[in-house]
Amino acid sequence: MPIDWILGLAGGLMIGAAAALYLLVNGRIMGASGILGGLVDGSGRDSWSERAAFVAGLVLVPGLVALAGFGRETNLTGNLWVVIAAGLLVGIGTRIANGCTSGHGVCGISRFSVRGIAATVFYLLAGGATVWLFRHVLGVI
Amino acid sequence: MRALFAFLSGGLFGLGLLVSGMVDTTKVQGWLDLFGDWDPTLAFVLGGAVLPMMLVWRLAEGRRPALGGFFPPKPPARIDRGLVLGSVLFGAGWGLAGLCPGPAMASVTFGGWGGLVFLAAMVAGMLIAVPLRSRLDAMPRPALSSPR
């Protein structure tokens, strides 16, 4: 639907602006998994306040917007086993690969990083194969 | 000062994830569903984020961040096992539930119990990854990675 595409583009521009701000002002890569991962496993101890502030903004601002009545349905599956398995895979995978959709995807591709582009190809292929298998073959999701 | 701008950046990122539809798992799974009712919205999200960032990286060349320090150096063009294995595992989880780390955090206040469970499992996975990563690093390098 075209309205979804326009919202997607507008939201994408905001994501790009956020990455630009974090890079040009703080001098850091805006990678969601790296920022949170360094906070929870202690590897980012020397920059914990910056990481915690980023996570606080990321959680609170959409929370306030949702509270004001402009939230969005996440439509997450009600199958808790799928949710747990998916969460574990996302947590393990992004930390082993050292990045996710924001770090490797947005920040990596835009600087023509070979690692960022390769990671994006692999997680898109794996995501596509997973949706095909679990939706069209097994009918779980 | 660093924390203030980190908060602003995180907030803008969260707003973008909300507006773009990245927090809606059906849109993400629709994008990954090439053999079903494919939804191209995420191409607009990625394009909207990547294109201005290309200019920003060029702008950063030869300069320094506003708050001091240096821009992160470009990593060597080495595709190692961790990058491939990790990305495949991440992609599988992304496809299964339709959430990646940013949207998981952005939607945790309004995503119900499921969203909280996903975030908790993701954090647990990040902790499990610590010993896995050191084990991967300790293994001898296969032919896939170029010697350095």
Side-chain angles (χ1 to χ4, degrees):
Chain A
M1 251 187 294
I3 181 70
D4 282 2
W5 300 353
I6 294 165
L7 285 175
L9 185 66
L13 288 169
M14 289 181 200
I15 296 167
L21 183 68
Y22 206 48
L23 182 71
L24 293 176
V25 178
N26 290 45
R28 295 195 187 278
I29 300 274
M30 189 195 75
S33 61
I35 292 170
L36 180 66
L39 210 54
V40 297
D41 70 15
S43 62
R45 219 169 287 129
D46 50 342
S47 53
W48 75 269
S49 61
E50 196 173 20
R51 291 167 187 270
F54 184 90
V55 171
L58 176 51
V59 171
L60 292 177
V61 170
L64 288 174
V65 173
L67 207 62
F70 299 101
R72 255 184 115 124
E73 196 60 56
T74 59
N75 296 309
L76 185 64
T77 172
N79 186 333
L80 272 190
W81 295 112
V82 170
V83 172
I84 291 169
L88 283 171
L89 283 168
V90 170
I92 294 172
T94 53
R95 289 305 277 161
I96 289 180
N98 219 357
C100 58
T101 343
S102 46
H104 279 317
V106 174
C107 299
I109 291 176
S110 61
R111 84 189 300 196
F112 305 102
S113 153
V114 171
R115 285 176 60 84
I117 293 165
T120 303
V121 167
F122 282 108
Y123 66 66
L124 282 177
L125 286 176
T130 302
V131 169
W132 173 75
L133 179 66
F134 283 85
R135 176 167 290 173
H136 299 295
V137 180
L138 303 173
V140 181
I141 55 172
Chain B
M1 209 54 174
R2 301 191 71 86
L4 173 69
F5 282 97
F7 181 87
L8 292 175
S9 170
L12 190 57
F13 180 40
L15 204 58
L17 291 171
L18 184 68
V19 170
S20 64
M22 287 292 290
V23 297
D24 183 349
T25 59
T26 54
K27 294 218 70 79
V28 174
Q29 287 178 326
W31 155 257
L32 292 172
D33 193 5
L34 286 172
F35 302 102
D37 189 12
W38 187 60
D39 182 342
T41 306
L42 257 70
F44 290 86
V45 183
L46 195 67
V50 166
L51 293 176
M53 270 303 281
M54 283 180 179
L55 298 176
V56 168
W57 277 116
R58 185 156 295 182
L59 193 73
E61 268 170 43
R63 292 191 172 82
R64 294 180 62 178
L67 292 179
F70 295 92
F71 288 117
K74 198 168 173 174
R78 198 178 65 218
I79 302 170
D80 51 37
R81 268 175 311 194
L83 188 80
V84 176
L85 178 67
S87 296
V88 167
L89 294 177
F90 162 47
W94 194 36
L96 264 183
L99 280 177
C100 53
M105 288 188 265
S107 66
V108 78
T109 53
F110 56 87
W113 282 105
L116 276 170
V117 170
F118 182 90
L119 190 65
M122 186 176 87
V123 167
M126 287 178 162
L127 294 173
I128 293 169
V130 176
L132 287 181
R133 200 156 52 159
S134 46
R135 195 168 292 189
L136 261 180
D137 287 344
M139 275 201 265
R141 296 203 178 283
L144 182 66
S145 57
S146 56
R148 286 186 61 84

